[in-house]
Amino acid sequence: QKIRDQLPSWIDQERSWAVATLKIALPSLYQTLCFEDAALWRTYYNNSMCEQEFPSILAKKVSLFQQILVVQALRPDRLQSAMALFACKTLGLKEVSPLPLNLKRLYKETLEIEPILIIISPGADPSQELQELANAERSGECYHQVAMGQGQADLAIQMLKECARNGDWLCLKNLHLVVSWLPVLEKELNTLQPKDTFRLWLTAEVHPNFTPILLQSSLKITYESPPGLKKNLMRTYESWTPEQISKKDNTHRAHALFSLAWFHAACQERRNYIPQGWTKFYEFSLSDLRAGYNIIDRLFDGAKDVQWEFVHGLLENAIYGGRIDNYFDLRVLQSYLKQFFNSSVIDVFNQRNKKSIFPYSVSLPQSCSILVGLSCCH
């Protein structure tokens, strides 16, 4: 209580110790901040994005790092965002997070002599995306894959030699299961003389005994959901072709796909806030998104009435909900489904001639253009 009495009254009790620590450790900074100006700091304190709205009259007197210390003392919930902002301003970057993974864009940077190592999380499998990429860039017959495990080593070496000779693509999956065999793979790679069109894709979970030589000689990427709703939405739209979005030139179908992309992003983003978001980690993946897309595609196939209960049932019981084993998590999923997929959001037949209302005051795409969809993600 004695410490609390020495601080301005606008500072909450729960933050008083942190502010007092700042005052003791950095008295000159504390004096510069003028915390006695309640009107100035109360506005900052109550701002939902306070790290971006540091008081202008103090900004020139306080360094960027000192601003982080203020955020840590007053609003620790915004500390991560403040540190990202600090890094961007200090290093001259637009944003800290990398661009969403796009295998088609990545493929243009690859070489036949350099394996592409995709580091995956448990349950994730990029092989379907690789198959689709191979179909687009080459042909389906040029793509081969081997799921590594007991008894697959000889087959993998045989396929490696054949694909290198023919210029095909090969994906060796789950290398973390055969780390003791990886030196053999390294030896074979050193003797290969592949065609220009050959590509070797490797997938593996993080493993402490993964051979460092193969790790260093590979192009390494992580296969995981991008951080934040915005990047997740952008990745989804980049994975869809313009033809997939504009099929049948149906704006309401484009609205439904946008709702699906947002729903998928929300489900994945909540995993960062366990146990508040979900009670445990659920492997919602692009295969779920792909299945959801197929449902939306069939839903708008024809002029019959759109049955949103059909969407709710499949997404809840067969796709996303099929991964959930907790009653409370299932209630969250049901709430999202009702929120994103209903006639108020997507008024298919414009029955009331009113503008669709999407949650969170987000504007739905006004056309079937993929560029318009991407602009809604910004």
Side-chain angles (χ1 to χ4, degrees):
Q1 183 63 36
K2 184 178 180 181
I3 295 176
R4 180 69 188 86
D5 293 339
Q6 297 175 0
L7 300 176
S9 59
W10 63 267
I11 298 176
D12 290 344
Q13 178 68 36
E14 62 179 14
R15 303 311 314 155
S16 59
W17 180 256
V19 175
T21 302
L22 178 67
K23 180 179 180 180
I24 296 171
L26 300 168
S28 59
L29 173 61
Y30 183 87
Q31 186 175 3
T32 303
L33 292 172
C34 300
F35 278 150
E36 289 74 17
D37 190 343
L40 176 68
W41 284 105
R42 189 174 283 113
T43 302
Y44 172 85
Y45 186 71
N46 294 326
N47 195 310
S48 60
M49 302 179 70
C50 61
E51 73 282 358
Q52 298 183 16
E53 301 294 338
F54 198 83
S56 56
I57 61 174
L58 297 174
K60 294 182 179 180
K61 301 178 182 179
V62 179
S63 69
L64 294 175
F65 184 74
Q66 288 174 329
Q67 292 180 26
I68 290 182
L69 298 180
V70 175
V71 173
Q72 183 184 34
L74 296 177
R75 290 287 302 278
D77 58 304
R78 301 301 301 172
L79 183 59
Q80 183 176 355
S81 298
M83 293 176 69
L85 183 63
F86 168 76
C88 289
K89 288 184 176 180
T90 304
L91 300 176
L93 303 174
K94 289 185 177 180
E95 52 188 338
V96 177
S97 302
L99 291 172
L101 174 62
N102 185 309
L103 290 178
K104 186 174 183 179
R105 184 170 58 234
L106 174 70
Y107 166 65
K108 297 178 181 179
E109 303 176 10
T110 61
L111 300 171
E112 71 277 6
I113 59 174
E114 183 181 40
I116 305 101
L117 175 60
I118 305 177
I119 303 171
I120 59 176
S121 57
D125 184 8
S127 57
Q128 181 64 34
E129 282 188 82
L130 289 174
Q131 177 72 68
E132 294 174 357
L133 178 63
N135 292 339
E137 298 293 333
R138 302 285 305 283
S139 70
E141 298 177 355
C142 295
Y143 176 77
H144 312 273
Q145 62 182 19
V146 178
M148 299 305 298
Q150 189 173 6
Q152 297 298 307
D154 292 340
L155 175 61
I157 295 299
Q158 178 186 342
M159 292 297 299
L160 177 65
K161 293 179 179 179
E162 290 182 5
C163 290
R165 183 170 58 251
N166 299 329
D168 292 347
W169 289 12
L170 175 63
C171 177
L172 300 181
K173 301 163 58 176
N174 302 325
L175 291 186
H176 57 280
L177 301 178
V178 289
V179 289
S180 60
W181 171 78
L182 294 182
V184 178
L185 176 61
E186 291 175 3
K187 184 177 179 181
E188 291 294 334
L189 290 175
N190 290 332
T191 61
L192 283 182
Q193 293 183 343
K195 284 189 175 181
D196 294 346
T197 54
F198 170 72
R199 292 295 184 275
L200 176 61
W201 305 84
L202 311 172
T203 72
E205 296 178 15
V206 175
H207 194 288
N209 297 326
F210 199 93
T211 174
I213 297 177
L214 181 60
L215 201 60
Q216 293 170 5
S217 61
S218 301
L219 174 62
K220 297 167 287 293
I221 58 173
T222 57
Y223 185 80
E224 57 187 5
S225 59
L229 289 172
K230 173 183 170 182
K231 285 190 173 296
N232 204 307
L233 284 167
M234 291 179 65
R235 176 179 175 177
T236 295
Y237 267 83
E238 287 183 357
S239 70
W240 288 337
T241 63
E243 292 74 20
Q244 286 180 292
I245 301 294
S246 60
K247 185 178 179 181
K248 300 180 182 178
D249 197 27
N250 188 328
T251 304
H252 297 298
R253 180 179 176 278
H255 288 177
L257 290 177
F258 185 83
S259 292
L260 174 65
W262 193 286
F263 167 75
H264 179 76
C267 287
Q268 289 195 325
E269 187 67 13
R270 287 182 73 93
R271 299 181 304 189
N272 295 327
Y273 303 97
I274 295 171
Q276 287 80 15
W278 302 111
T279 59
K280 59 185 286 189
F281 188 92
Y282 295 112
E283 189 52 56
F284 301 121
S285 64
L286 286 176
S287 61
D288 299 314
L289 179 66
R290 193 176 296 111
Y293 173 89
N294 291 335
I295 291 174
I296 298 297
D297 193 38
R298 291 191 177 189
L299 189 70
F300 286 87
D301 187 14
K304 52 189 176 183
D305 292 345
V306 174
Q307 301 294 330
W308 293 115
E309 294 79 7
F310 170 76
V311 177
H312 297 171
L314 285 177
L315 293 181
E316 176 187 339
N317 298 310
I319 305 176
Y320 289 86
R323 300 182 183 275
I324 295 177
D325 56 9
N326 181 278
Y327 170 72
F328 295 100
D329 288 341
L330 195 59
R331 287 179 60 185
V332 172
L333 185 77
Q334 292 168 345
S335 175
Y336 272 144
L337 290 173
K338 293 176 182 177
Q339 190 175 24
F340 291 128
F341 302 100
N342 62 74
S343 56
S344 297
V345 172
I346 307 166
D347 189 6
V348 177
F349 297 106
N350 202 22
Q351 296 167 349
R352 299 180 182 177
N353 195 27
K354 64 179 182 179
K355 189 176 181 180
S356 297
I357 303 174
F358 193 81
Y360 316 116
S361 301
V362 174
S363 299
L364 285 168
Q366 295 304 307
S367 76
C368 296
S369 169
I370 191 171
L371 296 177
V372 175
L374 280 170
S375 67
C376 291
C377 302
H378 288 276

